[in-house]
Amino acid sequence: MDAADGREPLMDAADAITIDSFLDEAAERVLADDVLDGLTRPFKELPPKHFYDSRGSELFERICELPEYYPTRTELEILTERADEIVAETGAGELVELGSGAAEKARVLLSAMDRAGTLTRYVPLDVSESALEESARALVDEYEGLEVYGVIGDFERHLDGVPDGDGHARLVALLGGTIGNFPPGTRRRLLRRIGGLLGDEDRLLLGTDLVKDPAVIEAAYDDAEGVTAEFNRNVLHVINRELNANFPIEQFEHVAFFDPDHEWIEMRLRASEACTVEIEQVGLTVEFGEGEELRTEISAKFTRQRVEADFAAAGLALERWFTDDDGLFALSLARRQ
Ligand code: SAH
Ligand code: AVI
């Protein structure tokens, strides 16, 4: 209530936000299916999207601030330097961001659109409801007149939930190197589907971590403070809670190593002793031998050639390539072929 005149406050912020959720009981089924599928394979594996409940999203934000984790600050540095140029070249007024998280990088692009006078709408899509809602609320307060259309969903399944363009040129962003969390075939299929969101005037802005000294990469995924280890183990907390399982979480050690053949980092969880895990909700008993490993994430590192090849296979064409002075990280601007 407005104490001065007794009227209800104008709900400016709330009016500017629409949130559409595609994650209902089906989300739990997806986790159950992934667990059933991944933990009954000869080499156990889980997809990384299940890291990101509210605790996982918070742990990821802490990772972004770690001295060892260079991708976030490097991508932010490139974006800060290039955002005005990107907006001037694309004329973009709408930003669609897949895997938006805390939307820190979106702010750099939205500010550039604001300066250019083109800013209309931000469309974040993320599986993490908490991260999406918090960032939507903060952004409508920060940018006057900004409309936020949030989509809580899985970008592998719910790209249809992204609304049609609002008539302004659109930039579709997939930042942070998230594309590297998919193996090559899935990655190209996802890029092709993302290309389906682009009209002739629209562009994809893709962030990719680059191949470099393996020691630098491995340190980024095995920090001294142990935050990445906790992030990695979070997937077991999610399974214990959501599927009524009894993983002895502290017995699983964080493992991260660079695979030079695939040019990707792998994160695994290693059972320090043999254990039997009951996953009640899927009626599954899983045995882990002593030292057995469960793969929880790959994070591919790219070269310009590799990005171009993935784009070509997905019906996209590289237009601009931006990198930092040390060649740690790259941002690509691409259009539909
Ligand atoms: N773009 C941010 C966050 C990267 S972390 C940055 O660059 O810092 C990856 C983000 O993608 C997380 O917010 C996570 O919740 C989200 N995510 C991971 N897999 C997803 C999926 N399949 N569908 C939608 N969001 C996903
Ligand atoms: C979200 N994704 C790009 C991060 C990465 O670097 O692959 C996730 C992450 N895993 C460990 N640290 C950060």
Side-chain angles (χ1 to χ4, degrees):
M1 291 285 271
D2 183 328
D5 59 15
R7 282 184 289 121
E8 289 287 321
L10 286 173
M11 299 299 285
D12 281 344
D15 287 346
I17 302 176
T18 307
I19 295 202
D20 219 352
S21 179
F22 291 81
L23 297 183
D24 39 29
E25 66 289 351
E28 219 169 89
R29 214 179 51 234
V30 170
L31 174 65
D33 287 348
D34 286 347
V35 164
L36 189 57
D37 184 34
L39 297 190
T40 54
R41 290 184 189 178
F43 186 94
K44 297 182 177 68
E45 179 168 29
L46 286 169
K49 66 180 164 218
H50 302 302
F51 286 133
Y52 299 95
D53 63 348
S54 59
R55 179 171 182 266
S57 295
E58 277 169 29
L59 285 165
F60 179 74
E61 280 175 49
R62 281 180 58 199
I63 289 176
C64 292
E65 316 233 303
L66 293 169
E68 296 95 332
Y69 195 72
Y70 61 85
T72 304
R73 61 174 176 274
T74 312
E75 190 181 33
L76 264 172
E77 179 192 312
I78 305 169
L79 261 182
T80 304
E81 200 179 308
R82 302 292 193 158
D84 288 315
E85 194 178 333
I86 291 169
V87 170
E89 272 185 31
T90 58
E94 179 180 53
L95 175 64
V96 176
E97 187 179 13
L98 308 174
S100 45
E104 272 315 313
K105 295 163 187 167
R107 283 179 168 80
V108 180
L109 290 162
L110 295 173
S111 294
M113 292 178 187
D114 202 20
R115 280 193 293 277
T118 54
L119 179 63
T120 55
R121 187 164 67 163
Y122 177 50
V123 182
L125 184 154
D126 206 290
V127 276
S128 173
E129 187 174 343
S130 57
L132 192 129
E133 287 179 352
E134 275 169 40
S135 60
R137 269 197 297 274
L139 288 170
V140 291
D141 282 346
E142 281 168 46
Y143 297 91
E144 211 189 317
L146 177 71
E147 190 193 333
V148 176
Y149 191 114
V151 183
I152 300 169
D154 180 339
F155 51 58
E156 287 188 86
R157 296 184 301 131
H158 303 124
L159 286 185
D160 287 351
V162 172
D164 289 339
D166 65 358
H168 298 82
R170 149 193 276 195
L171 201 56
V172 177
L174 179 57
L175 303 175
T178 300
I179 193 66
N181 295 138
F182 297 91
T186 315
R187 185 196 304 155
R188 291 181 173 189
R189 199 164 57 237
L190 183 58
L191 284 173
R192 181 170 287 279
R193 290 203 193 127
I194 293 172
L197 298 173
L198 303 177
D200 290 345
E201 304 304 315
D202 304 334
R203 295 292 180 267
L204 168 67
L205 184 66
L206 184 73
T208 46
D209 195 10
L210 300 178
V211 172
K212 62 185 68 61
D213 178 357
V216 173
I217 303 177
E218 285 180 351
Y221 290 82
D222 193 10
D223 63 280
E225 229 188 290
V227 184
T228 309
E230 217 32 56
F231 174 74
N232 194 4
R233 280 191 285 265
N234 194 52
V235 71
L236 303 185
H237 284 282
V238 169
I239 296 171
N240 277 358
R241 184 186 66 233
E242 299 295 326
L243 301 179
N244 207 11
N246 63 352
F247 271 98
I249 297 173
E250 294 317 313
Q251 288 176 32
F252 281 82
E253 294 163 1
H254 170 66
V255 175
F257 66 94
F258 185 69
D259 172 345
D261 296 328
H262 292 102
E263 293 187 314
W264 66 41
I265 192 109
E266 278 198 34
M267 292 209 312
R268 296 182 179 183
L269 288 168
R270 181 188 293 141
S272 56
E273 45 190 278
C275 61
T276 302
V277 180
E278 304 289 347
I279 307 171
E280 202 183 296
Q281 202 134 320
V282 283
L284 183 68
T285 303
V286 188
E287 304 284 350
F288 282 86
E290 183 185 334
E292 188 176 346
E293 293 179 353
L294 157 67
R295 180 162 51 208
T296 50
E297 185 179 70
I298 61 160
S299 190
K301 307 304 162 195
F302 291 79
T303 56
R304 179 175 172 151
Q305 254 179 335
R306 195 175 195 181
V307 172
E308 278 182 306
D310 282 346
F311 279 160
L316 298 165
L318 179 72
E319 266 189 352
R320 299 292 308 271
W321 172 263
F322 305 113
T323 184
D324 53 294
D325 290 345
D326 299 320
L328 297 177
F329 200 93
L331 273 174
S332 304
L333 206 52
R335 59 172 171 77
R336 253 173 107 144
Q337 248 168 11

